[in-house]
Amino acid sequence: MKIGSVQCESGTRTTGYLEVTTLPTGGAERLPVVVARGEGDGPTLWITGGIHGNEMTGVAAVQDVLTNGVPDGLRGTVVCVPMCNPSGIRRLERTSSYHDDDPNRFFPAADAADTTGKRVQELIDERLYEEIVDSADALLDLHTAQVGSVPFVIRDRVLYGTHRDEAAARDLAGRLDGLARATELPLVNEYPAEEYADRNLHRSTAGAVLNEAGIPALTLELGGHDAIEEGSRAAGVAAVYRAMRHLEMLPSVPESIAGADPGFESPVSFPVRRFVGPRAESVGICRPQIETGTAFEAEEAVADVVSPHGDCVETLSAPHDGYVLGWRSPVTYENDPVSSLAIRDEGDLVTPRS
Ligand SMILES: [Zn+2]
């Protein structure tokens, strides 16, 4: 197996770079790559991070997966790419600097329109995607979410109609479910299919690898952005090792890794999905009324909006049972969503692409 400059032999850990474009100032934009190959044959697991340049706990967790060399008893291959958006990381910004695009929305999709030609971020995403699907049996893409966010794993809906029939989609969704549960992070289903497509999430790293290539792929959200949060980092590394054990690449999770995980659990026992809202009709400053990671019931107050003078002008309530994942900007303009919630999910995890 060769990925960029990395040619990895059995029983070794090798580092190098994957060049993804040429820079106008000279040299290349290149993604750091770390590959560890076990002595025995087994699956290939890709771990990616830093596609959003301000999500540094994800970067740190990917860096730490192989920092101690080849894991004892490893079968198969682990490929780590901690910085998928170096241009964003250099300025600690979510987007890349080329055109200020969100780099996690340009991965290949069957329904992607191309009328004006592909710009550099889309070409970079395509090159990374081709490397991933060339060898991956599974992918974990590590991110962070909002301010004060609790860690969770996102399970995308599996689409059928273009690349697979419904039976194949259910089989893929079953394998995805097993991998998601194996991480032992709180499990949150992705938005309903229509909103998923509207937000171009089928063109995210995990969305494209799952729904285009048919390879189990998950997005892990490891706390808040900008800083490196130690508990979420340790939970992310442990989640990766549990996925390796689930894929029969490791006999067990090393105690040093399992023991460092603070352990994050869902506060509710029912299935939940991502929801952005509620939305403030009033302009002002949002004041959370409950802690992240705390359960609420439908209609319960989650936040107030206060005027410039500090008077409460609106109380926002939960649309459904669930819990708070994280808070969005405390500054609310007209119709701004104030939080990211996990709300009760009654939808199917397998849906037609149309
Ligand atoms: Zn992200």
Side-chain angles (χ1 to χ4, degrees):
M1 177 192 288
K2 190 164 190 298
I3 298 164
S5 66
V6 179
Q7 178 93 51
C8 195
E9 308 300 332
S10 295
T12 64
R13 169 191 183 271
T14 312
T15 65
Y17 289 93
L18 172 67
E19 293 191 0
V20 287
T21 192
T22 306
L23 295 172
T25 46
E29 188 71 287
R30 51 186 206 163
L31 315 184
V33 179
V34 189
V35 181
R37 239 178 102 181
E39 298 283 357
D41 287 343
T44 297
L45 174 64
W46 275 69
I47 319 292
T48 49
I51 189 83
H52 292 139
N54 60 345
E55 302 188 356
M56 296 307 294
T57 302
V59 171
V62 183
Q63 288 177 323
D64 289 354
V65 168
L66 296 175
T67 193
N68 293 322
V70 182
D72 279 345
L74 179 68
R75 293 176 60 242
T77 305
V78 181
V79 181
C80 290
V81 184
M83 297 178 176
C84 292
N85 171 14
S87 119
I89 290 169
R90 285 193 287 268
R91 53 184 196 155
L92 198 66
E93 292 280 351
R94 177 181 175 89
T95 54
S96 60
S97 58
Y98 312 117
H99 310 294
D100 251 342
D101 291 322
D102 182 338
N104 206 32
R105 300 291 184 272
F106 287 99
F107 284 79
D111 55 1
D114 179 22
T115 50
T116 54
K118 292 170 183 170
R119 302 183 81 188
V120 60
Q121 186 60 60
E122 185 163 7
L123 294 168
I124 291 172
D125 286 359
E126 264 183 19
R127 288 165 189 149
L128 176 58
Y129 173 86
E130 292 301 332
E131 290 287 342
I132 294 171
V133 302
D134 191 45
S135 63
D137 294 295
L139 164 80
L140 302 176
D141 188 36
L142 275 50
H143 287 245
T144 69
Q146 286 78 36
V147 172
S149 191
V150 290
F152 57 101
V153 55
I154 301 172
R155 175 172 52 182
D156 284 28
R157 290 170 208 274
V158 178
L159 310 178
Y160 64 87
T162 306
H163 296 299
R164 62 193 67 86
D165 62 16
E166 186 176 350
R170 293 209 178 273
D171 175 71
L172 179 56
R175 288 187 287 138
L176 186 67
D177 181 68
L179 186 65
R181 291 180 191 282
T183 66
E184 297 181 20
L185 289 170
L187 179 53
V188 178
N189 298 332
E190 192 49 285
Y191 301 108
E194 204 167 299
E195 187 175 356
Y196 179 69
D198 282 351
R199 291 178 179 273
N200 256 341
L201 284 163
H202 61 305
R203 302 193 65 189
S204 68
T205 318
V209 170
L210 176 72
N211 273 310
E212 280 299 297
I215 296 167
L218 296 164
T219 301
L220 276 57
E221 299 282 358
L222 302 173
H225 51 69
D226 290 347
I228 296 175
E229 296 178 2
E230 174 51 25
S232 298
R233 182 208 61 81
V237 175
V240 170
Y241 271 75
R242 291 188 189 112
M244 288 158 67
R245 181 182 58 188
H246 172 77
L247 296 167
E248 299 182 356
M249 301 172 72
L250 280 182
S252 60
V253 177
E255 181 45 41
S256 59
I257 286 171
D261 178 9
F264 292 94
E265 286 180 19
S266 173
V268 301
S269 56
F270 46 83
V272 288
R273 70 168 175 87
R274 284 219 281 173
F275 175 83
V276 173
R279 288 174 184 271
E281 286 177 17
S282 312
V283 173
I285 304 300
C286 171
R287 301 286 187 88
Q289 295 301 306
I290 53 178
E291 297 284 326
T292 55
T294 305
F296 51 70
E297 293 184 356
E299 307 301 327
E300 198 175 319
V302 293
D304 289 339
V305 178
V306 304
S307 72
H309 306 102
D311 300 315
C312 179
V313 291
E314 186 178 358
T315 294
L316 298 167
S317 57
H320 215 331
D321 303 342
Y323 67 97
V324 180
L325 293 172
W327 296 100
R328 303 181 84 84
S329 170
V331 181
T332 65
Y333 292 90
E334 291 171 84
N335 205 31
D336 267 354
V338 302
S339 58
S340 284
L341 307 179
I343 60 166
R344 188 185 288 275
D345 185 23
E346 278 134 6
D348 200 335
L349 292 168
V350 173
T351 55
R353 192 163 192 122
S354 56

